[in-house]
Amino acid sequence: MKHLSTRLSFSQFASGSVSGVFIPFFAASLAWRGLSADQIGLLLSTALILRAVAGPLSGIFADARNDRRAVMLVLYWIMVAGFGSLCVVGSPLLIFLVSVPAYIAYGAATPLLESVSVRLAERFGFDYGRVRIWASSAFVVMNVTGGIVVKFLGLGAVAPMLTIGAALCVVSTIMLPAPPATEGAAPLGSRLKATLEETKELLRTPVFLVFLAAASCEQATHAFYYGYGGLHWKAIGYSEMLIGIIWPLGVFAEIALFSQALRVLRLFGPSKLLLMGGLVAIVRWTILAFDPPLPLVIFAQFMHGGTFALAHLGAVFFILKAVPQRLSATAQSLYFVGSQGIMMGLATLAIGPVYSSLGGKAYLMMTALGVVSIGFTLLLARRWHGEAIIHGGKSEHVDTI
């Protein structure tokens, strides 16, 4: 396990390099390839819907195998194949057939990497946040680098950049230690059945459901910002250059907070971190709802460290403390599906008509969602006090990736 934190940091950097290209440029590259807005929407929505199923199933399978590394490798190879094929295919149908599996695989692999990072940080005494900052750093680097590449080479360069990022994910995962051999392990079928049963138990546990509601509502407060934030700034007169300058400020705040993750956890604990994230969300989105002067917009951008990073740290540390490590990937996948899939999708769908009618005042809908998240978090704090919420079952090898 020598230099494990360095190898995990490389894995996080590789993962962030994919999202740093995918999020700002992928949809635009599809339009450049000739897909209509409706076709792009169908492709992305299909991937999101299927990811809501594939993500938890990948987590369950990884936990049943007690080997997240192998499942991550399979998913990353699917990304390499999908994005690599995107470099050469041209028809809308083929673009759909190669892009959707790659998008699903990336969404399924990310929570597996998170579960491995936070659990092994606890096991070997290094700071999860110091590992996680490399994903955020890579995101910013590839935002800038990708923009430069697209400016000079065009949107056709997006697929090759995504392929390179996916290949880095494969390499970085191969560099992680393979799980130790286990003597006398039960057949995979019986282990899978046991994991499925424990997953059902987890989903019947009120504390976990309250946690999912709190974390998902809090992260979904970003729906307007992610979907319409840049568009709205442009509508009120901000230039593309100004938007490009102020957008990464939030990620810099996120990086700063992740760098102090262990200290922050010791001071506040998971429930309070989620609560603080919700409180910051109320302030941030209320400020932006009234199209304030630029200095206040910049101030609100730095609050991303609260709205995203504080809440995310609260969520992953809740899973670490409340869920046994044999279900770590499953629980992390359920959190990602709830926060980045189902609830984010519903909020994004609902906010569109509101923005059409009210413009920037639609941010107040995100403020209201922040209030809802605080309600669930207060309920969580009353019902959970740091204990494990699932008991029984066989323990796994503590060194397992």
Side-chain angles (χ1 to χ4, degrees):
M1 293 294 168
K2 186 178 180 181
H3 306 308
L4 179 58
S5 64
T6 301
R7 284 183 272 183
L8 284 170
S9 296
F10 181 30
S11 292
Q12 289 282 2
F13 185 90
S15 178
S17 70
V18 175
S19 60
V21 175
F22 187 94
I23 291 175
F25 303 115
F26 185 67
S29 73
L30 295 179
W32 173 82
R33 288 172 174 270
L35 272 66
S36 67
D38 288 344
Q39 289 172 326
I40 293 171
L42 177 63
L43 187 154
L44 296 177
S45 61
T46 299
L48 284 171
I49 292 169
L50 294 176
R51 195 172 71 177
V53 177
L57 288 179
S58 298
I60 290 168
F61 188 73
D63 282 336
R65 281 180 53 91
N66 194 19
D67 184 0
R68 291 93 191 159
R69 176 180 178 270
V71 178
M72 287 163 59
L73 274 173
V74 171
L75 293 169
Y76 287 142
W77 275 118
I78 292 173
M79 287 167 54
V80 170
F83 292 136
S85 298
L86 192 60
C87 297
V88 295
V89 299
S91 73
L93 178 60
L94 290 177
I95 290 172
F96 186 94
L97 291 176
V98 301
S99 298
V100 169
Y103 190 9
I104 293 170
Y106 181 66
T110 300
L112 299 187
L113 177 59
E114 286 289 275
S115 72
V116 166
S117 298
V118 70
R119 185 168 53 83
L120 294 184
E122 171 81 359
R123 169 70 179 87
F124 292 100
F126 57 87
D127 191 338
Y128 157 77
R130 300 291 177 89
V131 169
R132 179 58 176 76
I133 60 173
W134 290 101
S136 301
S137 300
F139 182 85
V140 175
V141 168
M142 292 311 299
N143 277 183
V144 176
T145 303
I148 294 171
V149 171
V150 167
K151 180 178 180 180
F152 287 99
L153 300 181
L155 287 165
V158 171
M161 285 192 289
L162 289 171
T163 305
I164 293 170
L168 280 178
C169 289
V170 171
V171 172
S172 65
T173 305
I174 290 173
M175 292 174 63
L176 295 175
T182 54
E183 297 293 334
L188 178 59
S190 62
R191 284 183 283 151
L192 186 58
K193 182 178 179 181
T195 303
L196 282 168
E197 289 301 316
E198 288 196 301
T199 302
K200 293 177 184 178
E201 182 184 353
L202 185 64
L203 289 172
R204 290 193 296 263
T205 305
V207 168
F208 187 74
L209 295 178
V210 171
F211 155 72
L212 280 182
S216 298
C217 286
E218 200 288 332
Q219 291 295 346
T221 67
H222 296 84
F224 181 87
Y225 173 66
Y226 290 157
Y228 299 93
L231 180 65
H232 179 64
W233 281 336
K234 190 173 181 180
I236 62 175
Y238 286 15
S239 68
E240 287 84 353
M241 179 177 293
L242 178 58
I243 294 171
I245 291 172
I246 63 177
W247 189 276
L249 297 179
V251 185
F252 293 143
E254 171 187 320
I255 291 169
L257 203 42
F258 278 140
S259 71
Q260 301 299 317
L262 203 55
R263 183 178 300 177
V264 169
L265 174 66
R266 289 168 179 166
L267 284 173
F268 301 108
S271 296
K272 288 182 179 178
L273 289 174
L274 277 169
L275 180 64
M276 291 164 62
L279 291 170
V280 177
I282 290 173
V283 176
R284 183 185 185 190
W285 308 130
T286 301
I287 289 173
L288 291 178
F290 295 95
D291 297 332
L294 183 59
L296 275 178
V297 172
I298 292 173
F299 173 72
Q301 280 299 88
F302 280 113
M303 296 176 80
H304 189 74
T307 58
F308 174 75
L310 278 178
H312 181 67
L313 288 173
V316 297
F317 285 129
F318 169 86
I319 292 171
L320 177 68
K321 302 296 183 183
V323 180
Q325 64 181 24
R326 66 181 179 275
L327 290 177
S328 60
T330 301
Q332 197 75 43
S333 297
L334 290 169
Y335 158 59
F336 266 71
V337 165
S339 61
Q340 304 298 322
I342 297 173
M343 188 58 67
M344 185 72 77
L346 290 173
T348 303
L349 182 65
I351 203 69
V354 179
Y355 177 58
S356 298
S357 301
L358 301 178
K361 296 294 191 299
Y363 269 120
L364 293 176
M365 187 173 172
M366 302 296 95
T367 299
L369 197 54
V371 174
V372 174
S373 76
I374 286 176
F376 282 118
T377 304
L378 291 173
L379 180 60
L380 177 67
R382 289 182 58 185
R383 305 189 67 168
W384 180 72
H385 305 286
E387 71 279 6
I389 59 175
I390 295 288
H391 301 281
K394 292 183 178 180
S395 61
E396 64 181 22
H397 196 295
V398 293
D399 293 349
T400 299
I401 295 290

